[in-house]
Amino acid sequence: QVQLVESGGGLVQPGGSLRLSCAASERTVRTYARGWFRQAPGKDREFVAKISLNGGLTYYTDSVKGRFTISRDNAKNTVYLQMDNLKPEDTAVYYCAAGSGYTALQTTVNYWGQGTQVTVSS
């Protein structure tokens, strides 16, 4: 059973930056596509970004394009989400995910992290 543990959340002012990390407990996660989702208060969980097995493919939801960057380090079993120019509407609990299919990751997730809170406020 793969366990995913997020870190790096916190409180930041609008326009600021945060870097989220998600470490996996097993090397088998290297064979999975990885991604990030978020859930704001009173809203459904939504897809944010995903990255393929070797990092060659990435995809972002429109609202974060040009501001967020997803990357992975397979030697460390870790995926990252660099978030720049943060806005109040980015406030949410951010969850990392791992899935067996890159194309399907937005709808099919095999493993979830426990979530980390990101709050963007002045």
Side-chain angles (χ1 to χ4, degrees):
Q1 181 77 8
V2 175
Q3 293 184 332
L4 305 177
V5 179
E6 301 100 334
S7 60
L11 173 64
V12 64
Q13 292 186 342
S17 298
L18 282 174
R19 188 193 194 204
L20 304 183
S21 300
C22 175
S25 60
E26 297 184 12
R27 293 179 58 184
T28 53
V29 77
R30 299 178 186 181
T31 64
Y32 285 79
R34 307 286 298 274
W36 290 93
F37 292 71
R38 65 187 180 186
Q39 187 168 18
K43 295 187 177 181
D44 293 335
R45 188 177 300 187
E46 65 171 353
F47 166 80
V48 176
K50 64 180 177 180
I51 189 166
S52 60
L53 302 183
N54 61 4
L57 296 174
T58 58
Y59 182 76
Y60 302 89
T61 193
D62 286 345
S63 62
V64 308
K65 285 180 181 177
R67 300 188 298 121
F68 290 11
T69 303
I70 189 170
S71 61
R72 66 190 293 167
D73 184 340
N74 284 340
K76 297 181 179 179
N77 301 333
T78 299
V79 65
Y80 306 95
L81 187 67
Q82 176 68 39
M83 305 185 294
D84 298 318
N85 190 22
L86 282 160
K87 304 176 180 181
E89 51 265 41
D90 295 317
T91 294
V93 177
Y94 283 71
Y95 298 89
C96 72
S100 57
Y102 170 77
T103 301
L105 186 62
Q106 288 150 268
T107 56
T108 304
V109 173
N110 295 92
Y111 302 103
W112 290 101
Q114 84 288 351
T116 185
Q117 177 70 46
V118 171
T119 302
V120 184
S121 175
S122 55

